[in-house]
Amino acid sequence: MLYVANVDGIQSEEIDTILEKTDSVTFNKVKKMFAKMKDSEILKYIEENKQSFVSTEAERTELLNDCREIISSDNQSTVMEEFVIKSIEKVLA
């Protein structure tokens, strides 16, 4: 979710939405880790660790819906955000 939020710069609405789904410690840990990585490295990390994020189709669907909620939370969905969602869908497949 943080990766999706960061596509167009993290907005306060997006942070609020993420913090409804996770705690601030996890949020800050992931934010710090992703700050050191390129987009391709983040997607590779997600792909290599996808079992940690989703282990069932229902969890996959929920995560993708949460990501869509993030991009709509600031009422501005961009083409790049949609591209990132599609990329995450493929990585989690």
Side-chain angles (χ1 to χ4, degrees):
M1 291 185 290
L2 183 60
Y3 178 58
V4 171
N6 197 42
V7 169
D8 64 348
I10 300 174
Q11 309 298 317
S12 61
E13 299 88 355
E14 294 170 331
I15 292 171
D16 292 343
T17 302
I18 293 169
L19 290 175
E20 289 173 7
K21 315 279 183 195
T22 192
D23 60 87
S24 61
V25 173
T26 302
F27 173 84
N28 289 323
K29 178 182 171 185
V30 173
K31 184 177 178 183
K32 186 176 179 180
M33 180 179 68
F34 281 3
K36 299 175 185 177
M37 301 169 84
K38 297 176 184 176
D39 288 348
S40 59
E41 294 170 322
I42 294 170
L43 288 171
K44 183 177 179 180
Y45 176 84
I46 293 169
E47 182 176 33
E48 289 174 348
N49 295 282
K50 64 183 168 185
Q51 288 300 319
S52 300
F53 306 119
V54 294
S55 58
T56 66
E57 184 59 31
E59 289 176 345
R60 179 183 178 274
T61 300
E62 182 179 358
L63 178 59
L64 291 170
N65 287 338
D66 288 346
C67 289
R68 288 183 181 93
E69 185 179 341
I70 295 295
I71 65 171
S72 65
S73 67
D74 64 358
N75 296 317
Q76 298 176 358
S77 178
T78 66
V79 173
M80 189 58 149
E81 287 172 322
E82 292 296 332
F83 174 78
V84 168
I85 294 284
K86 293 292 183 192
S87 297
I88 292 173
E89 278 183 284
K90 289 178 183 179
V91 166
L92 295 177

